C-alpha cells in the first residue's frame, strides 16, 4: 500500500464470506465437466477464473525431476498471471506450464504395489506442476509491461500453452488478478490494450499472503544484513507468528501478522521509496531509481549531514552512547554553509537522502515491534532492492534502538509480496499447500530485455539464445552476471543478462542485483526425508563456502573440469555442429554463473558445494545436454557386467566374515570411478576400467582413514553365539555407473538379500556426470540377475524384470512375500549430491520401514551428509578423490577411504 502519514488500525480477517462467494461462483462456472472448447468459454461470462481439476493426471516423462499435472478440462481463458501495480513499479508474477507428454510408468506403480505404498496425497486437488517467474517494470513504462504480456500471451495462458493456436480471437472473457492502486487506475488501459478485465484484490491481503507463503515455502528466503555481511535465517514454520511486516513501497505500511489471513495494519509513514526517488530526482536530476541508488554508492554523506562530531569538536558524546560519526541532523550542514545546490555533489545528496529515510523507517519499525511485543521484523518492498547500504542502514537503526535485542530481516523476493499474493488468490491453485521441500529455485539464462523491448529469445527458443550469447562474445564482452532480475538503468530486467554499462566492457549487475530472483519450480512430488534425526537442524553441505579460500578453490576445480565436461557433452550427441554450438554456449553460461557467484556468493541464496554442482547440471540441461556421459556409462556397465560372474564366485568361496569385509572393500575400490574427479579422469587414460578396479582392490588395506568396519561387522554378524536380527529394509544410495554399481553395490545388495533384508536401490532422478539413474538401474539389475539366482528372484519380486512385471502384475503380493524383494526408486535429484530436505515422495514413502541406510560416494556421503544423522543405522562409504577434501574433512590424503558406521539415533 502507498503508505499514509497517520497510523491506522485497519483490522482484517479473511475468514469471512469469501468461501460462500466462491461456492456460488463455482456453481456458475462449473455446472458440469468442462472442455477447452470455445463454447464452454462463452458459458462463463463475468465469473472469477477457476482452475478445473476434473480428470487431472500426472503429465510428462517420469525421468523428469518435476512432472506437471495435466488438466484436460482446464479452460483456456484462465490466465496464470498476477500483477501488483504500485505508484512506482509494476511487479508481475506468472506461471508457465510444462510441455511433457503423458507417459505410463510401470516401474513406479510396481514399486508402490510391492512395498505396500499408496498415494499419500491428502489434497482434494493437485498442485499445478510448473514454474513461477518474477518480472518488474516502472509504472511510468506501463506500455512496456503490456507489450511483454502480449508478446508472451501471458493473459491467454502463455506461449507454452498447448491450445494457444486453437483459441478464439476474442479476449473479452479473460480475467487477470491485480492488486495495488494501479489495478483501479489502469483497469481501462488493460481492457483497451489487451481486452482483459482486472479482478482487483485487496492490497493488504495480498502482501500478507505473499509474505506468509515465502517465509513458509522458501527455505532461505529471509536473511540479515549487517556491516556488509549477509546471513540467511532458518525460519521455524511452527514459530513464525506473530511478526511485523514492513512493506516499503512509495510509502510505508507496517503490518502485525498473527497468522494466515489474520493481520492488522498498525502504523505507516508517508516517507518511503517515493520520497527518496522524488526528492532525489529534484535534487540530483537522476532519471531512475536505480541511477539514484548507484549514485549513493559513491557518496559521502558527511559533506551534507551534520554529525555529532561537528557539534562536539570531532569527539563522541559518550555519555549517551553517540559516536562522533552519528548523524545529528540530516542535511544539517547545508544550513550554515553559503552554498547553492549545484555546489554539492549529487552522490553525497543521494546517500544523505538514503540514510535519512532508511534510519527513519528502521526506527519507527522497531518502536512498533516493541509496542506489540514482536520478536521478528521483516522488511519488504522494492525500496530495498537488495541494496547493501540500504539494508545495512535499516539494520543499524533497529540494532541501535533495540540495544542489540532485535534484528532486521529481509526477504529475497522482497518486491513481489503483493503480486505473489494476488497470484495465490486464484482459486484452487494449491500454492498455499506447498512447503519448502516442494519448491526448487533455479537460475536459467533468460530473455534479454533492453529499454522495455524484448530483444532476446523466448525461453523456449534455444537457437536464438545461443546466437544472442555468441553476439556478445564476438564483441569481446565478458559475460559475468546471468542475472534474471537485475536491469541496468531504464530496463525491465525480464530475466537474463543486462546490457553493459557505457563506462565498462562487462555485462554485470547494478545496485539492485545483489539479490537475484530465479525461477521457482513447483515440484509437488518432493518430500522431506522422514529418517532425518532432526530436519530443523539438518545441513546437507559439509564444505563451508563462506570461507573465501574454499570458495576460490572449488570454483577453480569446476572451471578446470569444464573443458573436459564440454567435450563429453558434445561427444554424447555425435559431435555435430549444433552440439558444438550448444557446448560452447553452456561453457560461457556456467562460467558466467561462477563469476557472478565469485563476485557475490549469496547472490542466488545460501551457497554450498551441492548448490554449485546442481547449478552445473541444470545449466547443462538448459542447453539440452540430457546425459553427457550416456555412451561412457553404457561401455562401463558392459565391461563390469562381463566380470561380475567371476567376482560372485570368488565371494561365494569366502567365509561369512571375510566375505563381508571383501564386499565393503569392493564398494570402496569401485567408488574410484568418478568422472567428476580430475585425479580419476587422469587414471582413465592409464588403463581400462577393469584394470583400474583391480589395482584399487589391491590397495584396500586397513585401517582406512575413517574405519568403523568392526562396528558394522558386529551389527551384521554379531559376536560369539549372538546373532542379531537382520535389517528389515535397506536403502542403498548408489553412485556411479559401471564398476561402482555393478561390482560394488550390487554384490553388497545381494548379501543383504541373502540375509532376508529388502533392498531399495536409490538412483538419481536425472543424469549427473556418470552417476547411475533410477531409469537405468532396472536394466543393469536385469543383466546382473542372469548370473545370480538371488538377484533374479529379488528382482522378480520387486518387479524389476520386464517379463516378471507382466507375469506378476495380476498376482497378489503374498505369492512373493517369502522372497526379499529388490526395488528401484528415484531420489528426486539431478546432482552428484543429495539434500534430504528435498527427496522424491517415492523415496520418502519407501523409507517408512527402512532400518539401514547406505550412502555411497563423495557427493552423497562426503560433500553432503558427512555430518548428517539419521534415525536408523547408517553406513557411509566413499573413496576420497580430492586432496583438498581429504585434508579438510578427514585429515588424510587422496584415495583414502571412509567407512563410517552410525547406529540408529
Amino acid at each position: 500500500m502507498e503508505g499514509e502519514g497517520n497510523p491506522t488500525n485497519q483490522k482484517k480477517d479473511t475468514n469471512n464470506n469469501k468461501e460462500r462467494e466462491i461456492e456460488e461462483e463455482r456453481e456458475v462456472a462449473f455446472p458440469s465437466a468442462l472442455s477447452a472448447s470455445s463454447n464452454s468459454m462463452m458459458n462463463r461470462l463475468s465469473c472469477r477464473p477457476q482452475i478445473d481439476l476434473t480428470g487431472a493426471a500426472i503429465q510428462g516423462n517420469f525421468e523428469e525431476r518435476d512432472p506437471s499435472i495435466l488438466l484436460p478440462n482446464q479452460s483456456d481463458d484462465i490466465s496464470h498471471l498476477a500483477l501488483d501495480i504500485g505508484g512506482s513499479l509494476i511487479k508481475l508474477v506468472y506461471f508457465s506450464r510444462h510441455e511433457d507428454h503423458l507417459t505410463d510408468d510401470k516401474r513406479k506403480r510396481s514399486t508402490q504395489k510391492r512395498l505396500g505404498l499408496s498415494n499419500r496425497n491428502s489434497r482434494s486437488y493437485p498442485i499445478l506442476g510448473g514454474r513461477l517467474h518474477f518480472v518488474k517494470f516502472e509504472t511510468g513504462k506501463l506500455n512496456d509491461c503490456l507489450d511483454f504480456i502480449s508478446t508472451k500471451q501471458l493473459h491467454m495462458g502463455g506461449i507454452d500453452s498447448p491450445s494457444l493456436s486453437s483459441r478464439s480471437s476474442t479476449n473479452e472473457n479473460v480475467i487477470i488478478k491485480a492488486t495495488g492502486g494501479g489495478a483501479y487506475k489502469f483497469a481501462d488501459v488493460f481492457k483497451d490494450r489487451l481486452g482483459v478485465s482486472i479482478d482487483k484484490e485487496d492490497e493488504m491481503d495480498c502482501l500478507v499472503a505473499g509474505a506468509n507463503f515465502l517465509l513458509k515455502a522458501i527455505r532461505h528466503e529471509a536473511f540479515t544484513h549487517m556491516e556488509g555481511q549477509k546471513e540467511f535465517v532458518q525460519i521455524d514454520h511452527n514459530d513464525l507468528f506473530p511478526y511485523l511486516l514492513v512493506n516499503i513501497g512509495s510509502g510505508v505500511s507496517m503490518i502485525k501478522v498473527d497468522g494466515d489471513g489474520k493481520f492488522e495494519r498498525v502504523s505507516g509513514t508517508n516517507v518511503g521509496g517515493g520520497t527518496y526517488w522524488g526528492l532525489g530526482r529534484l535534487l540530483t536530476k537522476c532519471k531512475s531509481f536505480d541511477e539514484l541508488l548507484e549514485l549513493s554508492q559513491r557518496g559521502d554523506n558527511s559533506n551534507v549531514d551534520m554529525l555529532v562530531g561537528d557539534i562536539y569538536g570531532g569527539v563522541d558524546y559518550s555519555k549517551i552512547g553517540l559516536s562522533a560519526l552519528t548523524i545529528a541532523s540530516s542535511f544539517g550542514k547545508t544550513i550554515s554553509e553559503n552554498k547553492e545546490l549545484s555546489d554539492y555533489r549529487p552522490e553525497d545528496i543521494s546517500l544523505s537522502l538514503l540514510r535519512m529515510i532508511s534510519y527513519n523507517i528502521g526506527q519507527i519499525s522497531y518502536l512498533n515491534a516493541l509496542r506489540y511485543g514482536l520478536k521478528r521484523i521483516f522488511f519488504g518492498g522494492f525500496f530495498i532492492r537488495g541494496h547493501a547500504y540500504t539494508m545495512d542502514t535499516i539494520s543499524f537503526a533497529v540494532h541501535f534502538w533495540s540495544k542489540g535485542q532485535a534484528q532486521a530481516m529481509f526477504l529475497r523476493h522482497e518486491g513481489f509480496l503483493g503480486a505473489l499474493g494476488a497470484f495465490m488468490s486464484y482459486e484452487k491453485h494449491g500454492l498455499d499447500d506447498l512447503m519448502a521441500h516442494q519448491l526448487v529455485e533455479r537460475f536459467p539464462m533468460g530473455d534479454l530485455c533492453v529499454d522495455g523491448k524484448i530483444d532476446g529469445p523466448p525461453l523456449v527458443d534455444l537457437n536464438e539464445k545461443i546466437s544472442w550469447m555468441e553476439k556478445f562474445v564476438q564483441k569481446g564482452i565478458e559475460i559475468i552476471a546471468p542475472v534474471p532480475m537485475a536491469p541496468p538503468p531504464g530496463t525491465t530486467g525480464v530475466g537474463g543478462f543486462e546490457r553493459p554499462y557505457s563506462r565498462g566492457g562487462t555485462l554485470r549487475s547494478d545496485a539492485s542485483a545483489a539479490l537475484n530472483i530465479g525461477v521457482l519450480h513447483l515440484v509437488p512430488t518432493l518430500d522431506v526425508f522422514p529418517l532425518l534425526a532432526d530436519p530443523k537442524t539438518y545441513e546437507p553441505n559439509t564444505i563451508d563456502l563462506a570461507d573465501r579460500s574454499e570458495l576460490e578453490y572449488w570454483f577453480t576445480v569446476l572451471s578446470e573440469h569444464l573443458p573436459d565436461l564440454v567435450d563429453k557433452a558434445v561427444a554424447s550427441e555425435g559431435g555435430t555442429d549444433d552440439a558444438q554450438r550448444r557446448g560452447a554456449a553452456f561453457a560461457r553460461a556456467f562460467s558466467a554463473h561462477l563469476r557472478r557467484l565469485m563476485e557475490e556468493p549469496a547472490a542466488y541464496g545460501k551457497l554450498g558445494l551441492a548448490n554449485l554442482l546442481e547449478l552445473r547440471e541444470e545449466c547443462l540441461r538448459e542447453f539440452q545436454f540430457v546425459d553427457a556421459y550416456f555412451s561412457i556409462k553404457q561401455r562401463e556397465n558392459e565391461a563390469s557386467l562381463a566380470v561380475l560372474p567371476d567376482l560372485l564366485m570368488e565371494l561365494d568361496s569366502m567365509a561369512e566374515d571375510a566375505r563381508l569385509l571383501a564386499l565393503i572393500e569392493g564398494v570402496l575400490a569401485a567408488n574410484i570411478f568418478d568422472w567428476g574427479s580430475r585425479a580419476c579422469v587422469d587414471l582413465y587414460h592409464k588403463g581400462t576400467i577393469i584394470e583400474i578396479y583391480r589395482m584399487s582392490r589391491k590397495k584396500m588395506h586397513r585401517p582406512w582413514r575413517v574405519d568403523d568396519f568392526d562396528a558394522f561387522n558386529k551389527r551384521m554378524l554379531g559376536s560369539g553365539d549372538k546373532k542379531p536380527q537382520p535389517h528389515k529394509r535397506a536403502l542403498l544410495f548408489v553412485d556411479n555407473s559401471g564398476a561402482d554399481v555393478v561390482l560394488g553395490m550390487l554384490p553388497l545388495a545381494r548379501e543383504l538379500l541373502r540375509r532376508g533384508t529388502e533392498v531399495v536401490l536409490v538412483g538419481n532422478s536425472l543424469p549427473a556426470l556418470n552417476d547411475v539413474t533410477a531409469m537405468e538401474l532396472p536394466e543393469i539389475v536385469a543383466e546382473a540377475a542372469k548370473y545370480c539366482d538371488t538377484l533374479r528372484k529379488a528382482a522378480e519380486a520387486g518387479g524389476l524384470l520386464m517379463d516378471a512385471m507382466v507375469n506378476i502384475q495380476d498376482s497378489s503380493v503374498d505369492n512373493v512375500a517369502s522372497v526379499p524383494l529388490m526395488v528401484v526408486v528415484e531420489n528426486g535429484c539431478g546432482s552428484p549430491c543429495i539434500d534430504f530436505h528435498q527427496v522424491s515422495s517415492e523415496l520418502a514413502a519407501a523409507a517408512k520401514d527402512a532400518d539401514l541406510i547406505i550412502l555411497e560416494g563423495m557427493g552423497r556421503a562426503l560433500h553432503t551428509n558427512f555430518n548428517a544423522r539419521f534415525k536408523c543405522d547408517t553406513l557411509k562409504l566413499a573413496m576420497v578423490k580430492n586432496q583438498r577434501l581429504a585434508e579438510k574433512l578427514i585429515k588424510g590424503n587422496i584415495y583414502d577411504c571412509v567407512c563410517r558406521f552410525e547406529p540408529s539415533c
Side-chain angles (χ1 to χ4, degrees):
M1 181 173 184
E2 310 304 313
E4 301 167 354
N6 296 323
T8 60
N9 288 301
Q10 302 171 0
K11 295 187 177 181
K12 185 74 179 180
D13 190 331
T14 58
N15 296 326
N16 47 30
N17 295 326
K18 281 189 176 180
E19 293 182 2
R20 184 164 60 252
E21 294 171 0
I22 291 167
E23 290 300 323
E24 293 172 355
E25 290 161 357
R26 185 179 294 113
E27 291 175 4
V28 176
F30 297 102
S32 61
L34 301 176
S35 69
S37 66
S38 57
N39 288 335
S40 64
M41 288 174 59
M42 298 302 295
N43 288 334
R44 294 188 303 281
L45 295 173
S46 305
C47 295
R48 284 191 176 188
Q50 308 271 332
I51 295 179
D52 187 359
L53 301 161
T54 58
I58 295 293
Q59 180 187 31
N61 186 336
F62 278 89
E63 186 175 358
E64 289 292 327
R65 175 172 174 177
D66 39 4
S68 59
I69 294 176
L70 175 67
L71 302 179
N73 298 322
Q74 175 64 61
S75 66
D76 289 335
D77 62 340
I78 293 178
S79 170
H80 302 298
L81 159 73
L83 303 101
D84 178 4
I85 310 175
S88 306
L89 293 165
I90 301 171
K91 288 77 68 177
L92 185 152
V93 173
Y94 72 93
F95 177 84
S96 65
R97 322 176 207 212
H98 292 286
E99 295 182 323
D100 303 327
H101 301 288
L102 193 64
T103 59
D104 184 23
D105 194 327
K106 294 181 179 180
R107 179 191 62 75
K108 286 190 176 182
R109 296 201 313 273
S110 174
T111 298
Q112 289 182 345
K113 178 179 180 181
R114 283 158 175 77
L115 292 178
L117 307 178
S118 60
N119 185 358
R120 300 178 302 130
N121 186 0
S122 60
R123 301 182 187 91
S124 59
Y125 54 90
I127 297 173
L128 287 171
R131 303 170 178 87
L132 280 178
H133 306 258
F134 302 84
V135 187
K136 70 179 175 70
F137 296 85
E138 292 180 8
T139 305
K141 297 181 178 180
L142 174 62
N143 286 334
D144 294 345
C145 176
L146 296 172
D147 289 342
F148 177 76
I149 294 172
S150 178
T151 300
K152 284 189 171 291
Q153 291 289 293
L154 298 181
H155 57 308
M156 300 295 289
I159 59 175
D160 59 348
S161 177
S163 56
L164 176 63
S165 60
S166 63
R167 291 186 184 135
S168 170
S169 59
T170 179
N171 300 340
E172 65 183 44
N173 301 318
V174 178
I175 298 173
I176 61 176
K177 298 280 190 176
T179 189
Y184 297 85
K185 183 177 181 180
F186 300 114
D188 291 341
V189 179
F190 275 81
K191 187 69 174 179
D192 293 341
R193 284 287 311 275
L194 300 177
V196 301
S197 299
I198 296 292
D199 188 5
K200 305 168 188 69
E201 294 294 324
D202 181 78
E203 191 166 353
M204 289 297 159
D205 282 342
C206 292
L207 283 174
V208 173
N212 286 347
F213 168 73
L214 290 169
L215 289 169
K216 291 179 182 179
I218 310 296
R219 188 177 306 118
H220 297 133
E221 175 66 24
F223 62 94
T224 60
H225 202 290
M226 282 287 286
E227 299 179 353
Q229 297 299 311
K230 188 183 302 174
E231 184 174 338
F232 288 92
V233 179
Q234 185 67 45
I235 302 296
D236 184 351
H237 300 162
N238 297 318
D239 190 31
L240 173 60
F241 305 111
Y243 67 84
L244 185 70
L245 175 62
V246 181
N247 188 65
I248 314 173
S250 299
V252 183
S253 287
M254 298 176 188
I255 307 165
K256 177 176 174 283
V257 182
D258 294 304
D260 291 321
K262 298 178 181 179
F263 59 88
E264 176 185 1
R265 184 179 186 273
V266 295
S267 186
T269 171
N270 55 4
V271 179
T275 311
Y276 176 61
W277 191 351
L279 285 176
R281 184 166 183 170
L282 289 174
L283 297 174
T284 70
K285 308 304 180 184
C286 282
K287 300 300 183 184
S288 74
F289 194 95
D290 288 328
E291 186 182 354
L292 191 63
L293 277 179
E294 188 182 351
L295 273 182
S296 71
Q297 292 180 294
R298 304 191 299 272
D300 181 355
N301 66 296
S302 66
N303 294 326
V304 178
D305 295 339
M306 182 181 292
L307 309 182
V308 169
D310 295 327
I311 300 173
Y312 285 88
V315 299
D316 300 341
Y317 188 0
S318 55
K319 183 176 181 180
I320 60 173
L322 298 178
S323 75
L325 298 178
T326 301
I327 298 174
S329 174
S330 294
F331 289 90
K333 195 170 286 186
T334 64
I335 299 173
S336 58
E337 294 178 339
N338 187 23
K339 293 182 179 180
E340 300 297 328
L341 176 62
S342 59
D343 296 324
Y344 293 96
R345 297 173 66 237
E347 292 87 345
D348 301 339
I349 293 173
S350 176
L351 182 58
S352 178
L353 270 175
L354 182 65
R355 295 189 72 169
M356 177 182 74
I357 293 170
S358 299
Y359 279 143
N360 180 267
I361 294 171
Q363 180 180 10
I364 295 175
S365 300
Y366 168 67
L367 292 176
N368 274 283
L370 180 66
R371 174 186 175 194
Y372 291 98
L374 305 177
K375 297 182 293 183
R376 298 184 182 84
I377 310 173
F378 295 104
F379 291 85
F382 253 111
F383 170 72
I384 300 169
R385 296 194 166 196
H387 191 253
Y389 199 87
T390 305
M391 293 185 289
D392 270 355
T393 306
I394 291 175
S395 296
F396 177 84
V398 172
H399 184 270
F400 177 84
W401 290 107
S402 70
K403 295 181 171 58
Q405 297 303 304
Q407 276 188 317
M409 288 183 280
F410 304 91
L411 304 175
R412 294 187 59 240
H413 294 79
E414 57 197 358
F416 291 94
L417 304 184
L420 188 54
F423 182 87
M424 293 177 66
S425 67
Y426 286 108
E427 304 301 337
K428 298 299 183 185
H429 48 61
L431 279 184
D432 46 6
D433 286 336
L434 280 174
M435 297 300 289
H437 57 267
Q438 293 171 326
L439 283 165
V440 180
E441 188 174 23
R442 294 171 183 155
F443 296 87
M445 298 293 173
D447 298 358
L448 175 69
C449 193
V450 178
D451 291 328
K453 306 300 182 183
I454 302 173
D455 297 332
L459 289 171
V460 296
D461 195 328
L462 179 64
N463 287 327
E464 290 186 23
K465 183 185 295 187
I466 295 172
S467 298
W468 180 80
M469 295 184 70
E470 290 173 340
K471 177 177 67 176
F472 278 96
V473 173
Q474 290 166 2
K475 291 182 178 180
I477 296 173
E478 180 185 19
I479 302 172
I480 70 167
V483 184
M485 271 309 307
T491 73
T492 65
V494 169
F497 299 120
E498 308 155 23
R499 62 179 178 179
Y501 289 138
S502 58
R503 67 171 184 272
T506 59
L507 209 62
R508 54 168 296 126
S509 59
D510 65 4
S512 69
L515 291 173
N516 299 299
I517 297 174
V519 176
L520 284 182
H521 290 239
L522 282 61
V523 191
T525 54
L526 292 180
D527 271 314
V528 177
F529 190 59
L531 295 180
L532 281 173
D534 187 355
K536 291 182 181 179
T537 60
Y538 166 70
E539 169 56 49
N541 288 290
T542 305
I543 302 299
D544 183 11
L545 293 187
D547 183 333
R548 188 70 184 185
S549 64
E550 286 294 330
L551 185 68
E552 292 175 352
Y553 172 78
W554 288 104
F555 276 25
T556 300
V557 169
L558 292 173
S559 297
E560 290 178 347
H561 181 246
L562 191 55
D564 186 71
L565 179 58
V566 171
D567 288 344
K568 295 293 186 299
V570 172
S572 71
E573 303 202 3
T576 63
D577 290 343
D578 174 68
Q580 290 181 32
R581 286 187 70 210
R582 286 187 285 118
F586 154 70
R588 296 186 196 108
F590 185 57
S591 295
H593 280 299
L594 291 181
R595 284 192 290 269
R596 177 71 187 101
L597 290 170
M598 180 61 74
E599 178 187 80
E600 173 53 64
Y604 299 168
K606 187 174 181 179
L607 182 64
L609 187 55
N611 308 107
L612 276 181
L613 297 177
E614 176 79 19
L615 182 63
R616 178 183 62 188
E617 300 305 323
E618 287 296 336
C619 202
L620 270 172
R621 286 188 277 272
E622 184 181 358
F623 290 93
Q624 296 184 4
F625 291 107
V626 178
D627 193 349
Y629 287 81
F630 178 72
S631 58
I632 293 173
K633 291 191 292 184
Q634 280 191 320
R635 290 198 303 269
E636 293 185 353
N637 286 338
E638 292 171 1
S640 301
L641 285 164
V643 300
L644 178 62
D646 292 338
L647 174 62
L648 296 181
M649 288 180 61
E650 178 185 343
L651 291 169
D652 289 342
S653 67
M654 298 179 181
E656 188 178 47
D657 53 350
R659 184 169 65 250
L660 185 59
L661 175 58
L663 287 165
I664 299 302
E665 287 178 340
V667 172
L668 293 171
N671 192 236
I672 196 172
F673 299 102
D674 186 348
W675 280 95
S677 164
R678 170 57 57 186
C680 295
V681 171
D682 292 340
L683 279 178
Y684 279 98
H685 298 299
K686 299 177 183 178
T688 66
I689 182 173
I690 301 305
E691 290 171 342
I692 298 171
Y693 171 71
R694 288 171 178 162
M695 174 200 71
S696 183
R697 280 296 298 268
K698 290 178 181 178
K699 294 183 177 181
M700 285 290 111
H701 301 303
R702 295 185 66 200
W704 301 310
R705 193 65 188 177
V706 176
D707 193 338
D708 293 337
F709 173 77
D710 291 340
F712 178 66
N713 184 74
K714 183 177 180 180
R715 171 60 185 88
M716 292 290 291
L717 306 181
S719 58
D721 295 333
K722 289 186 177 181
K723 295 296 181 183
Q725 283 289 106
H727 291 97
K728 180 179 180 181
R729 179 181 296 169
L731 304 179
L732 274 61
F733 289 79
V734 296
D735 189 10
N736 305 302
S737 295
D740 200 353
V741 63
V742 175
L743 305 180
M745 292 296 275
L746 280 183
L748 180 58
R750 174 178 179 254
E751 183 71 15
L752 291 168
L753 290 166
R754 285 180 164 183
R755 296 176 180 278
T757 301
E758 294 179 351
V759 171
V760 179
L761 298 177
V762 186
N764 262 19
S765 297
L766 295 173
L769 295 172
N770 63 320
D771 289 3
V772 66
T773 67
M775 291 291 289
E776 297 162 345
L777 276 170
E779 183 178 347
I780 294 172
V781 171
E783 289 299 314
K786 295 177 181 179
Y787 310 115
C788 174
D789 195 49
T790 299
L791 291 177
R792 182 182 62 79
K793 290 180 179 179
E796 287 179 351
L800 293 181
L801 306 183
M802 293 306 294
D803 57 341
M805 289 178 67
V806 174
N807 295 334
I808 297 177
Q809 259 184 348
D810 296 328
S811 61
S812 67
V813 176
D814 292 337
N815 294 337
V816 293
S818 60
V819 180
L821 57 81
M822 178 164 60
V823 299
V824 169
V825 302
E826 60 181 66
N827 58 16
C829 303
S831 163
C833 302
I834 186 168
D835 180 350
F836 282 104
H837 283 127
Q838 295 178 306
V839 301
S840 71
S841 54
E842 181 185 30
L843 170 57
K848 178 182 178 182
D849 295 320
D851 49 3
L852 174 63
I853 295 172
I854 299 180
L855 288 171
E856 186 229 358
M858 282 208 309
R860 295 163 188 81
L862 299 183
H863 289 146
T864 53
N865 302 305
F866 186 66
N867 299 319
R869 295 303 305 272
F870 299 90
K871 296 177 182 177
C872 64
D873 291 349
T874 306
L875 183 65
K876 299 172 183 177
L877 300 170
M879 177 184 285
V880 188
K881 283 92 66 177
N882 178 279
Q883 182 62 37
R884 174 91 165 210
L885 185 66
E887 294 171 357
K888 191 85 174 179
L889 202 59
I890 60 174
K891 295 180 172 55
N893 295 297
I894 194 168
Y895 302 128
D896 276 349
C897 292
V898 172
C899 174
R900 173 183 266 188
F901 178 66
E902 297 162 342
S904 59
C905 295

